[in-house]
Amino acid sequence: MRTRTWFTGLAAGAALLAGSSVTTAQAVPAGPSASLPFEARATGIGEPPSWTPSGTATCSSHSHSDRDNGGGETTSTSTPRRSGPHSTCGSNPVGSRAVDYHCYTVNESDNTWTYVTVRASGAQGWVYDGNLTNGGSTVPC
């Protein structure tokens, strides 16, 4: 991982300049996310890494329409409902687990997202398919 290596090198360089010896160790995370790669732990609830290629689609440029008659549940009431199909887009928690599906899209990072309506509130937005108990919509946008 380039970022971790760079940071370790920076810390080692600073310690050497200060006249100290350097011992490097890799921290082992605790808790349920311990088995996830560093990039996956760095984002919200079960979401993919926060990477959107520069110069590509923004949060509001993905079209959607209500093409799917199905629905499902989110994994948590705090699952982010986002303004676009990227983990970097603005969000609010769904607040209620039951959702109706509209359609899905694959973003520039090859992650699938479903556009949903929260049944209890009528709020709409994009939810990462990994946060939907049955994997999300099967109808493309």
Side-chain angles (χ1 to χ4, degrees), residues 65-72 100-105 112-116 126-127 129 132 134-141:
S65 59
D66 194 356
R67 299 178 179 190
D68 192 333
N69 293 329
D100 289 322
Y101 297 159
H102 290 227
C103 59
Y104 80 91
T105 192
T112 57
W113 293 73
T114 296
Y115 196 83
V116 304
W126 293 97
V127 174
D129 283 351
L132 296 167
N134 63 1
S137 176
T138 58
V139 179
C141 290

Side-chain angles (χ1 to χ4, degrees), residues 5-55:
T5 303
W6 175 84
F7 182 73
T8 302
L10 181 64
L16 289 173
L17 286 175
S20 302
S21 62
V22 177
T23 303
T24 59
Q26 203 157 2
V28 177
S33 65
S35 62
L36 296 175
F38 175 77
E39 291 85 2
R41 290 192 315 268
T43 60
I45 297 172
E47 291 192 345
S50 298
W51 178 77
T52 304
S54 61

Side-chain angles (χ1 to χ4, degrees), residues 50-105:
S50 298
W51 178 77
T52 304
S54 61
T56 59
T58 62
C59 293
S60 61
S61 67
H62 291 270
S63 63
H64 55 83
S65 59
D66 194 356
R67 299 178 179 190
D68 192 333
N69 293 329
E73 291 187 343
T74 61
T75 56
S76 167
T77 58
S78 59
T79 294
R81 176 182 44 84
R82 297 193 175 273
S83 61
H86 303 281
S87 59
T88 55
C89 295
S91 72
N92 286 305
V94 289
S96 175
R97 292 185 58 193
V99 293
D100 289 322
Y101 297 159
H102 290 227
C103 59
Y104 80 91
T105 192

